[in-house]
Structure formats: C-alpha cells, structure tokens
Amino acid sequence: AAASIKHVLSRRDCLIAASMLFIVVGCRTLLHHLSAACSEGTARTHEGVCSPGSSARALANGFCTHFPLWLCLTVSIHSGVNAHIHDRWSVGLVLVYQAVSVAAGVIAGLVGIGGGVIFSPFFILAGMDPLIAVSTSSTCVLFTSSSTTFQYLFTERIQISLSFVYGAVTLLASYVGTSLVHQLQERISAKRSLISLIVAAGVGVSAALSLVQFLTLVHEHGTAAK
C-alpha cells in the first residue's frame, strides 16, 4: 500500500517552496548573466570582477552554485525526517521517494521530459490510487517545470512565440485529459487498471519520442563532427 501522507499544504510548506524556487532561479540567472557579461567584455577580462583570479567573481560563482544545492539538500533532509517521525515512513521508503524526485528533476532540467513521466508510474507502482497518482504527479511537476521555465526565461533561451502556441494547445489538451480521467473514475470505478493503462501508454509514447529525439541529436552531432 502507498505510504500515508498529509493531504493539506500548510502556509509554511508554501513559503518554503516559494523561497526555494526564488533562490534557485535567482542564483542560476545571476550566474548565467555574470558569465555572459565577462565573456562579452573581452577587452576588460582582466579587470575587476571579470578577472580570472578575482575574489569577487570566485565568491559569486561559489555562492550561486553551492548555496541552492545545500538549501535543497537541507530541506530534503528536513522533509525526510518529518516523514519518518510523524508519518511513520521507513528510512528506506524516504530514500526511495527522494531518489525518484532527484532523478525526475535532473531529467526534466536536462532534456525537458515532464516529471509526470516518472512520478505517475512510480506512484501507481507504490500502490497509490491512479486518480490520486495523476493529480499528485501534476502537482509535483509544477515545481520542476516552474524552476526550469523561469531559469530558461531569464537566461533568454525560450522562443516566446512557440511557447504561446504550444502552451495554448497543451492547456486545452490537459483540460480534456483531466476531464477524461474524472469520467473514467466515476463511470468505471471498478476498473482502476484502465487509468493505469492510460498512464503506461502515455509514458511509453513519451519515452519513445524522447529516444527518437536523443538518437537524432547524436546523429546530427556525429555528422557535424565529420
């Protein structure tokens, strides 16, 4: 059976999540613009903060790189301890959930795969009700997608026109998908496996498309190298 967990977010939880998002995005954006400014100012690379041996640059790079990591690690440990003490989770269960979360975040940031591709099947395998698994997965994806989106936005790596076009279509499709899941849950409540099958199909399609994209990138890189 799935581990028990509280179903209500407190103000403290929301404040911690918002603060982490702000710090991670802010530090990554600052680090990017600092590197870009030093790279563009080739005539002044040996002056001030852009000097290779500058203590100010080293301090800024070190802070922006390590502080978000240590902050996330601290919050992760704190959350794991609370789950172990208050919700009676075993240490192994806490480590498994946190390992899956780390993997989902890294993959989402590297190749843009939605965390739901990982979270939904994992929650279902953990024994969670399919409808709750899909809903919880969508909520988890909110944090990974917000973090990566803001980082790419503030570092000017997003094609805004395409984002609006695909975003509008995705918004409509997500509404249709959510409505479909609710209809299935209400009309075929005994067929929980049907929702699990839909999730598995979505994961399979996403994995196949990601594999094709990866092979295409590898082929293009090999062709360019020749």
Side-chain angles (χ1 to χ4, degrees):
S4 61
I5 192 169
K6 63 181 181 180
H7 297 284
V8 179
L9 286 175
S10 64
R11 291 184 178 180
R12 179 186 175 189
D13 296 329
C14 295
L15 180 61
I16 291 176
S19 300
M20 290 179 61
L21 180 63
F22 176 80
I23 292 173
V24 170
V25 173
C27 287
R28 184 66 187 90
T29 303
L30 178 62
L31 186 61
H32 169 80
H33 286 294
L34 177 62
S35 300
C38 291
S39 298
E40 292 175 359
T42 54
R44 296 175 296 173
T45 52
H46 297 288
E47 299 179 7
V49 72
C50 288
S51 173
S54 170
S55 58
R57 181 179 182 181
L59 180 62
N61 286 338
F63 178 82
C64 292
T65 301
H66 296 101
F67 180 66
L69 294 176
W70 284 106
L71 175 64
C72 292
L73 179 61
T74 301
V75 173
S76 177
I77 294 175
H78 174 72
S79 301
V81 170
N82 280 342
H84 176 64
I85 296 177
H86 300 294
D87 297 316
R88 306 300 181 186
W89 287 26
S90 66
V91 176
L93 185 62
V94 171
L95 293 177
V96 168
Y97 270 77
Q98 292 188 345
V100 171
S101 299
V102 171
V106 171
I107 294 175
L110 283 176
V111 296
I113 296 178
V117 175
I118 298 175
F119 286 129
S120 290
F122 172 73
F123 290 150
I124 291 175
L125 290 175
M128 190 178 293
D129 181 90
L131 181 59
I132 297 178
V134 172
S135 305
T136 306
S137 173
S138 300
T139 305
C140 294
V141 170
L142 176 65
F143 296 98
T144 57
S145 62
S146 298
S147 176
T148 53
T149 297
F150 282 123
Q151 289 182 58
Y152 287 138
L153 177 64
F154 293 145
T155 54
E156 302 175 353
R157 296 177 178 175
I158 296 180
Q159 295 186 10
I160 302 298
S161 58
L162 289 179
S163 300
F164 279 114
V165 173
Y166 285 105
V169 176
T170 303
L171 182 64
L172 177 61
S174 63
Y175 173 76
V176 174
T178 303
S179 301
L180 177 61
V181 169
H182 282 289
Q183 290 293 329
L184 290 174
Q185 186 74 7
E186 294 173 0
R187 297 184 180 183
I188 322 176
S189 56
K191 300 290 185 179
R192 293 178 53 185
S193 59
L194 183 59
I195 300 179
S196 302
L197 181 61
I198 294 174
V199 173
V203 171
V205 171
S206 299
L209 292 175
S210 300
L211 179 61
V212 171
Q213 179 66 20
F214 175 74
L215 294 177
T216 302
L217 291 175
V218 171
H219 176 70
E220 291 178 352
H221 179 73
T223 303
K226 294 179 181 179

